[in-house]
């Protein structure tokens, strides 16, 4: 299951309490809300790192007897008067300043202690803006070098955190993508109220307007009704740009938004409060005072507020005046209509744009903004109007301008209720509950879903902010999360007796792994992508590079091709272990390899399981690896059918490579790694690898076993030692022995190989033990001798092999 | 004659008693009981006796013979035992010297944990299915109710081969593939390798493993989902482990949930492993969305079901106390040997 990363909503407790009353702790609230679906990721405590810093009044400033740059102050902190030495140039008698007293804690972990400074007692420290890190609280740095001067009247001795309203707790909620309504204080307040079984309230909005009408000043034309569902505009005259008040800056800072100026802050504040992004245009810069919502023209450009020149395409939605584009709809405003210090009048925009288009535009421009991500997820069409009114109200309240009467409000979507009808019993049957219909109804009601029970049916009006709710299953989730997931009783479904069992492939795969482990190999698991250039490293000529499945957006070029063979993966593991100075490493891996499949109509590649074995170390050699492969083949019932044929492979030693074949099907390759390739991987010569087509192996494995009668008569053993040219293959000799030996020859075992002084150069002696057996009689010499002699003759004729005496 | 017989017997028994090895005993046997032995001679001499005495004397001779024979046997056994004891003593070895170990390899920890999980679900009647790693957009997203332009499809998360083909980002596509091939009842788990374009760090890997679960039948409830997963957790982490279900969101399930297990390291008191919450997030789950059932050609009016998906890497790390996901894919032999 894909878990999309949720978006974070920072919720300051003090702000939340404006909409809902509660006295439980932030911790209890987070726990409770997590269980109703708003996942609280953590709580941060603002002001936690400031301790014992008080408001003090400076009573006296005297010259430090021993230092030119220091002064000695007498500071009233309410219950006593302290002497504090400071180097700040701006201290004056009468000022209220933050005093860190003995034992105080400052941000960054600084502890303040009483002590002597150049011989004078200093019972604390006067603090600056930076020392208290007041910027983190949205406070404005007045730029004065020295002590922070408290600008309002407080009793000396007041905790600075109370005076400046620094303390707060902020809950960090991770909001799932289906609940964009919860990316607002209002949405969180609604959830908090339901969780705590109480009600939320939203302050009534009262806009003080002047008599001039907005509709006489500004016109709005929506040319793309499919991409813009609603557009509200208000006009504000005589704008006075200045910092917003402390309470607003505190709230914005606590919610993670930087304060800028009153107009920007108000739009941001409303966005956090209601979830509705807003924008302000400089009215004088909008030609003809006409807003047009249209598609961009081909090649049209716009310099956005971040001063980037954007080249637009015809599928992007823009806000324009009759002459030019002035904003990327729902993404970012244009520099040409930016609100500045000179701005007199503004147009406020609150709109609802189609999320898909906003997403495509912001993706195409590589420009994601707070606004765009909200439009993408969907906003509440009712809030479009509410938010612009709220902003207008705040503008008047903060003295930031005068608001014209009314607004221009163009809708392309009917503002009607969405009603769904469901059988309430299905809610119970899906959840495994037996809730009364009136109880279901009341839960939905508490979540703002007006509803009515009509017999078996429940008619529900979906609130405008719940775009995610479409049917009975969505309502079931609403009921379940408020009723409590934990109260749903655990049951086990009824059903027929279990039919579960491992498939043949699963059983055989387990078997293969167990056999390999029993032979001392460790299972490795490696990435399935490799560099497309890895084939050079494993010795392939460029014309032999296999056609790979290529990732179009890889993490890096070196991880952009799906592997077609297990060999690079194996060598990489050996190499890494060699680098770490492991004396030996013996590994295997069973995993998919991928080859382009032109036959597949959908364009999917062929995925095949590959079994790789790789090893290096003191006691490894070709024959041990071959033996392990043989044991594996034996476990799969294929040893008798398997052949090892002298072969070549670009990654392997030319004289130590065998192809593994079973009944004319190529199963894989085994051999010693070519010294050049070993060097490429930082390995000493002698590393070994095998790669088998595991999908084929699973397919042809012979798992059925049949009993053969045990022999009643003894077998007769005869040894046979021959001397033959060294380049005559043992496999060929054995084949002839078997052919000539016929049905009475039961078993042929090589028990000795000799090369050396007693034998002519270029030759070797091979000693076999032949076992003859008949199922119906005890064999006599007269039965065996002729066969045995025929074998000797045949070896002599075919290979010029001499019997060794 | 009886006296002589007595004398022979005493003599024989005494020399048997003194014999030190089986060769001497054999000599003694020949001396008394052999063809030319004293007792045989004695028997021959019996012909001179009057016939009436012969049976008595015969009995006596036989008695003597048996007595010597059994003394010989006893002594022989005693000598053999003694020499065995000596041999065993000589053969004593230092059993504390190290054994000659055949090298045993080992399964990868991911495989070991997967095997355990698979066994638990086999026990509950789940079959194991598989699906391709290179997957169609349709199965990975669209049929799972993740339409085009959905944020979860952002290229920053998904490796694409081309517009329609991608590396599966989860094992959930197998849900649709199984529904297409099989009518309910369906009860499967699907383990497999999945891909996300995450940069590598201690908790992220572009390749990792998931295990998908899917149950579809008539009358499947969310209670069943909880019941099955609770049993799984108890089998996996111990009978005392508790589970907690929280509302969550997945496009392809509704209602959706995340399941936590109480932290077994601190038993829920709060520790570093559970970031002091007492709970560890284990998996995502939910009731199969009706749209997904429809994509799988199953009528949502007749059938309901649940699905779940868990990260094998995460569970493996919990089981073994591994603190860095990268270790799972580095294949350091010193790491692999630990399991």
């Amino acid at each position: 299951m894909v878990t999309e990363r949720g978006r974070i909503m920072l919720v300051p407790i003090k702000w939340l309490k404006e909409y809902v009353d509660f006295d439980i702790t932030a911790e209890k609230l987070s726990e409770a809300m997590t269980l109703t679906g708003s996942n609280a990721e953590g709580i941060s405590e603002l002001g936690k790192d400031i301790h014992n810093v008080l408001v003090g009044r400076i009573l006296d400033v005297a010259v430090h007897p021993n230092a030119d740059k220091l002064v000695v102050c007498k500071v009233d902190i309410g219950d006593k008067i302290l002497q504090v030495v400071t180097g700040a140039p701006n201290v004056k008698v009468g000022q209220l300043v933050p005093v860190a007293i003995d034992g105080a804690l400052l941000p960054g972990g600084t502890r303040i202690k009483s002590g002597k400074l150049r011989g004078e007692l200093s019972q604390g420290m006067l603090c600056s803006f930076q020392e208290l890190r007041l910027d983190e609280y949205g406070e404005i740095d007045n730029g004065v070098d020295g002590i922070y001067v408290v600008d309002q009247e407080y009793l000396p001795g007041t905790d600075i955190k109370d005076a400046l309203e620094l303390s707060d707790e902020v809950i960090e909620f991770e909001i799932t993508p289906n609940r964009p309504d919860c990316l607002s204080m209002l949405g969180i307040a609604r959830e908090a109220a339901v969780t705590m079984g109480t009600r939320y309230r939203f302050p009534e909005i009262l806009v003080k307007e002047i008599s001039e009408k907005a509709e006489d000043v500004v016109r709005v034309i929506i040319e793309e009704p499919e991409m813009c569902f609603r557009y509200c505009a208000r006009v504000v005259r005589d704008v006075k740009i200045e910092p917003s008040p402390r309470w607003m800056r505190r709230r914005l800072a606590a919610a993670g938004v930087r304060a800028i100026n009153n107009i920007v802050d108000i739009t941001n504040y409303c966005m956090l409060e209601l979830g509705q992004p807003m924008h302000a245009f400089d009215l004088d810069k909008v030609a003809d005072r006409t807003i047009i919502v249209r598609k961009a023209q081909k090649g049209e450009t716009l310099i956005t507020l971040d001063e980037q020149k954007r080249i637009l395409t015809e599928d992007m939605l823009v806000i324009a005046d009759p002459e030019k584009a002035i904003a990327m709809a729902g993404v970012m405003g244009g520099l040409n209509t930016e609100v500045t210090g000179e701005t007199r009048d503004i147009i406020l925009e609150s709109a609802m744009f189609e999320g898909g288009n906003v997403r495509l535009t912001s993706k195409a421009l590589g420009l994601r903004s707070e606004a765009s991500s909200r439009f993408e997820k969907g906003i509440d069409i009712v809030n479009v109007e509410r938010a612009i009114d709220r902003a207008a109200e705040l503008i008047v309240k903060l003295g930031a301008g005068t608001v014209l009467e009314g607004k221009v409000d163009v809708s392309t979507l009917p503002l009607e209720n969405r009603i769904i009808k469901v059988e309430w019993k299905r809610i119970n049957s899906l959840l495994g509950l037996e809730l009364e219909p009136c109880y279901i109804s009341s839960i939905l009601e508490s979540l703002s879903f007006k509803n009515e029970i009509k017999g078996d049916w429940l008619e529900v009006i979906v609130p405008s902010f719940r775009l995610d709710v479409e049917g009975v299953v969505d309502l079931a989730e609403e009921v379940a999360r408020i009723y409590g997931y934990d109260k749903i009783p655990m049951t086990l479904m009824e059903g027929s007796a279990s039919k579960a069992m491992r498939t043949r492939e699963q059983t055989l795969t387990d078997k293969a792994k167990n056999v390999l482990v029993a032979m001392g190999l460790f299972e490795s698991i490696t990435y399935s992508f490799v560099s497309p250039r890895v084939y050079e490293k494993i010795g392939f000529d460029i014309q032999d590079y296999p056609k790979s499945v290529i990732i179009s957006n890889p993490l890096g070029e070196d991880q952009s091709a799906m592997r077609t063979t297990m060999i690079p993966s194996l060598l990489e593991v050996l190499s890494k272990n060699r680098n770490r100075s492991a004396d030996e490493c013996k590994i295997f891996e069973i995993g998919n390899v991928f080859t382009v499949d032109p036959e597949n109509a959908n364009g999917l590649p062929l995925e095949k399981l590959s079994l790789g074995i790789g090893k290096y170390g003191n006691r490894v050699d070709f024959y041990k690896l071959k033996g392990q492969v043989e044991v594996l083949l034996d476990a799969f019932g294929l040893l008798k059918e398997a052949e090892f044929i002298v072969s070549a492979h670009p990654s392997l030693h030319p004289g130590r490579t065998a192809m593994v074949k079973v009944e004319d099907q190529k199963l894989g390759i085994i051999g010693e790694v070519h010294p050049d390739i070993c060097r490429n991987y930082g390995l000493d010569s002698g590393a070994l690898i095998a790669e088998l087509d595991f999908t084929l192996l699973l397919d042809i494995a012979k798992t059925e076993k049949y009993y053969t009668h045990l022999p009643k008569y003894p077998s007769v053993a005869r040894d046979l030692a021959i001397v033959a040219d060294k380049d005559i293959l043992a496999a060929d000799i054995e084949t002839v022995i078997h052919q000539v030996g016929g049905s009475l020859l039961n078993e042929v075992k090589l028990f000795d190989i000799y090369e050396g002084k007693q034998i002519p150069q270029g030759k070797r002696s091979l000693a076999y033990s032949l076992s003859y057996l008949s199922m119906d009689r005890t064999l006599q010499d007269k039965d065996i001798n002729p066969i045995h002699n025929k074998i000797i003759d045949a070896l002599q004729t075919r290979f010029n092999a001499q019997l060794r005496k | 004659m009886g006296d002589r017989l007595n004398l022979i017997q005493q003599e024989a028994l005494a020399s048997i008693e003194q014999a030190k090895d089986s060769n001497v005993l054999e000599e003694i046997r020949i001396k008394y009981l052999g063809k030319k032995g004293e007792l045989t001679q004695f028997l021959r001499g019996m012909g001179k006796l009057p016939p009436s005495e012969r049976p008595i004397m015969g009995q006596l001779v036989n008695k003597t013979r048996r007595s010597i024979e059994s003394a010989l046997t006893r002594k022989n056994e005693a000598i053999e035992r003694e020499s065995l004891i000596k041999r065993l003593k000589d053969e004593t070895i230092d059993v504390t010297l190290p054994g000659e170990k055949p090298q045993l390899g080992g399964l990868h920890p991911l495989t070991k944990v997967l095997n355990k999980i698979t066994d638990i679900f086999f026990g509950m009647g789940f079959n194991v299915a598989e699906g391709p790693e290179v997957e169609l957009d349709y199965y990975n997203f669209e049929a799972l109710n993740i339409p085009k332009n959905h944020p979860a499809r952002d290229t920053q998360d998904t490796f694409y081969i081309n517009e329609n083909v991608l590396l599966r980002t989860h094992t959930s596509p197998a849900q649709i593939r199984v529904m297409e091939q099989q009518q309910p009842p369906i009860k499967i788990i699907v383990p497999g390798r999945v891909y996300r374009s995450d940069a590598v760090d201690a908790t992220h890997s572009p390749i990792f493993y998931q295990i998908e679960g899917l149950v579809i039948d008539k009358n499947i409830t969310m209670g069943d989902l909880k019941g099955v997963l609770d049993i799984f957790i108890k089998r996996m982490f111990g009978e005392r482990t508790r589970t907690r279900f929280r509302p969550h969101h997945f496009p392809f399930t509704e209602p959706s949930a995340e399941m936590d297990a109480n932290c077994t390291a601190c038993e829920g008191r709060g520790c570093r492993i559970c970031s002091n919450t007492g709970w560890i997030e284990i998996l995502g789950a939910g009731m199969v969305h009706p749209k997904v059932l429809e994509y799988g050609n199953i009528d949502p009016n007749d059938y309901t079901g649940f699905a779940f998906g868990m990260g094998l890497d995460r569970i493996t790390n919990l089981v073994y106390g591994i603190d860095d996901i990268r270790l799972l894919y580095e294949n350091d032999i010193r790491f692999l040997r630990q399991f």
Side-chain angles (χ1 to χ4, degrees), chain A residues 569-626:
Chain A
S569 306
L570 297 167
L571 289 172
E572 203 60 54
V573 172
L574 296 184
S575 169
K576 274 193 213 156
N577 279 292
R578 189 73 201 95
N579 279 344
R580 296 188 188 108
S581 313
D583 335 324
E584 63 167 39
C585 182
K586 301 172 182 175
I587 47 129
F588 75 94
E589 177 166 358
I590 296 176
N592 274 324
V593 295
F594 306 81
T595 43
V596 175
D597 181 7
E599 311 272 292
N600 189 300
N602 290 318
L604 289 183
L606 200 62
E607 286 182 26
K608 276 210 292 191
L609 285 169
S610 171
L611 162 64
I613 301 176
K615 43 191 191 170
Y616 72 75
N618 285 330
R619 285 164 305 180
V620 305
D621 63 43
F622 180 89
Y623 296 112
K624 283 195 180 110
L625 177 61
K626 181 177 172 184

Side-chain angles (χ1 to χ4, degrees), chain A residues 359 488 491 502 523 528 552, chain B residues 111 119 154 160 195 224 226:
Chain A
R359 180 162 182 272
I488 297 173
T491 50
R502 284 185 168 77
E523 185 187 14
S528 23
S552 66
Chain B
T111 303
D119 282 345
D154 276 357
Y160 284 93
Y195 301 79
D224 297 333
K226 286 184 64 181

Side-chain angles (χ1 to χ4, degrees), chain A residues 2 359 430 470 477 485 488 491 501-502 506 517 521 523 525-526 528 552-553 577 584 586 592 607, chain B residues 103 105-106 108 111 119 127-128 133-134 154 158 160 170 193 195 222-224 226 256 291 331 333:
Chain A
V2 172
R359 180 162 182 272
L430 190 66
E470 295 175 338
E477 179 171 87
Y485 274 22
I488 297 173
T491 50
M501 65 177 284
R502 284 185 168 77
Q506 287 155 4
V517 164
L521 296 161
E523 185 187 14
I525 292 182
T526 58
S528 23
S552 66
N553 58 333
N577 279 292
E584 63 167 39
K586 301 172 182 175
N592 274 324
E607 286 182 26
Chain B
Q103 274 191 335
H108 194 280
T111 303
D119 282 345
N127 272 307
V128 177
E133 292 175 25
V134 182
D154 276 357
T158 310
Y160 284 93
H170 49 179
R193 183 178 275 223
Y195 301 79
M222 194 152 171
D224 297 333
K226 286 184 64 181
S256 302
K291 286 182 190 169
N331 301 294
I333 198 80

Side-chain angles (χ1 to χ4, degrees), chain B residues 128-144:
Chain B
V128 177
E130 269 150 41
E133 292 175 25
V134 182
E135 184 54 284
L136 293 174
D137 180 282
Y138 172 80
Y139 288 106
N140 196 73
F141 289 132
E142 205 168 318
L144 291 169

Side-chain angles (χ1 to χ4, degrees), chain A residues 1-5 34-39 174 176-178 356-357 359-360 363 368 376-377 426 428-432 468 470 473-478 480-481 485-496 498-503 506 510 513-514 516-529 549-555 559 562-563 573 576-577 580 582 584-589 591-592 594 602-605 607 609 619, chain B residues 103-108 110-111 115 118-119 122 125-130 132-136 149-161 165 167 169-172 177 187 193 195-200 205-207 209-210 212 215 220-224 226-228 230-231 243-258 284-287 289-291 300-301 304 306-309 328-334 336-337:
Chain A
M1 302 184 118
V2 172
T3 306
E4 298 155 47
R5 286 174 209 105
T34 296
L35 292 179
T36 58
S38 308
N39 192 23
E174 193 192 350
T176 52
N178 60 326
N357 183 266
R359 180 162 182 272
L360 287 178
K363 241 177 93 177
R368 303 204 78 174
E376 278 174 27
K377 293 187 170 69
R426 289 195 61 192
N428 275 334
S429 64
L430 190 66
L431 301 177
D468 61 308
E470 295 175 338
V473 292
D474 304 299
L475 294 175
E477 179 171 87
E478 295 302 303
R481 70 188 181 92
Y485 274 22
D486 276 14
K487 281 194 260 174
I488 297 173
M490 294 186 186
T491 50
L492 286 177
M493 56 265 181
E494 298 154 10
S496 48
S498 159
K499 286 178 285 185
M501 65 177 284
R502 284 185 168 77
T503 61
Q506 287 155 4
D510 282 355
K513 288 187 178 184
N514 289 333
L516 293 164
V517 164
M519 293 190 295
L521 296 161
F522 286 89
E523 185 187 14
S524 64
I525 292 182
T526 58
Y527 285 179
S528 23
F529 31 62
V549 177
I550 300 290
I551 301 168
S552 66
N553 58 333
L555 284 179
Q559 298 189 333
M562 300 303 285
R563 65 184 173 198
V573 172
K576 274 193 213 156
N577 279 292
R580 296 188 188 108
E584 63 167 39
C585 182
K586 301 172 182 175
I587 47 129
F588 75 94
E589 177 166 358
N592 274 324
F594 306 81
N602 290 318
L604 289 183
E607 286 182 26
L609 285 169
R619 285 164 305 180
Chain B
Q103 274 191 335
L104 184 63
L107 292 175
H108 194 280
L110 285 169
T111 303
N115 285 347
T118 312
D119 282 345
F122 268 129
F126 286 70
N127 272 307
V128 177
E130 269 150 41
E133 292 175 25
V134 182
E135 184 54 284
L136 293 174
N149 290 336
H150 193 282
R153 290 172 158 239
D154 276 357
T155 43
Q156 62 191 29
D157 298 317
T158 310
F159 288 119
Y160 284 93
I161 305 301
V165 180
L167 303 186
T169 57
H170 49 179
T171 39
S172 309
R177 286 185 176 274
K187 218 172 162 190
R193 183 178 275 223
Y195 301 79
R196 304 261 177 97
S197 50
D198 278 325
V200 185
S205 167
I207 289 178
Y209 282 80
Q210 275 193 341
E212 191 80 5
V215 173
I220 298 293
T221 71
M222 194 152 171
D224 297 333
K226 286 184 64 181
V228 164
D230 189 69
I231 287 189
T243 53
R244 177 177 87 162
F245 292 80
R246 284 180 285 107
H248 199 69
H249 169 72
F250 302 104
F252 38 94
T253 52
E254 189 79 21
S256 302
E258 273 191 335
M287 303 304 292
H289 200 290
K291 286 182 190 169
N301 293 311
T304 52
F306 65 83
F308 55 88
L328 296 174
Y329 299 97
E330 273 171 13
N331 301 294
D332 188 323
I333 198 80
R334 295 167 301 179
L336 296 177
R337 278 195 186 117

Side-chain angles (χ1 to χ4, degrees), chain A residues 398-440:
Chain A
L398 269 50
T402 51
V403 175
L404 269 55
E405 187 190 319
K407 61 192 148 277
V408 181
D409 183 354
V410 185
S411 283
T412 62
L413 262 191
L415 296 179
E416 58 193 23
N417 287 327
R418 204 151 50 89
I419 297 171
I420 48 182
K421 261 179 81 174
V422 303
E423 279 179 282
W424 58 263
K425 283 189 181 122
R426 289 195 61 192
I427 294 178
N428 275 334
S429 64
L430 190 66
L431 301 177
L433 291 174
E434 286 172 5
L435 304 176
E436 294 296 329
C438 58
Y439 183 65
I440 292 175

Side-chain angles (χ1 to χ4, degrees), chain A residues 439-540:
Chain A
Y439 183 65
I440 292 175
S441 169
S442 72
I443 288 182
L444 292 173
E445 192 73 41
S446 73
L447 288 163
S448 315
F449 291 79
K450 297 214 176 353
N451 65 86
E452 203 182 330
I453 302 160
K454 293 182 175 169
D456 286 346
W457 294 86
L458 188 63
E459 261 187 39
V460 182
I461 301 175
V462 181
S464 58
F465 53 87
R466 291 303 302 274
L467 300 170
D468 61 308
V469 173
E470 295 175 338
V472 63
V473 292
D474 304 299
L475 294 175
E477 179 171 87
E478 295 302 303
V479 171
R481 70 188 181 92
I482 302 305
Y483 175 73
Y485 274 22
D486 276 14
K487 281 194 260 174
I488 297 173
M490 294 186 186
T491 50
L492 286 177
M493 56 265 181
E494 298 154 10
S496 48
S498 159
K499 286 178 285 185
M501 65 177 284
R502 284 185 168 77
T503 61
R504 169 188 148 94
E505 286 75 19
Q506 287 155 4
T507 309
L508 285 173
T509 305
D510 282 355
K511 184 177 186 176
K513 288 187 178 184
N514 289 333
V515 166
L516 293 164
V517 164
M519 293 190 295
L521 296 161
F522 286 89
E523 185 187 14
S524 64
I525 292 182
T526 58
Y527 285 179
S528 23
F529 31 62
V530 293
S531 163
R533 277 197 283 271
V534 80
Y535 297 101
E536 186 187 333
K537 201 173 172 186
I538 62 168
F540 281 58

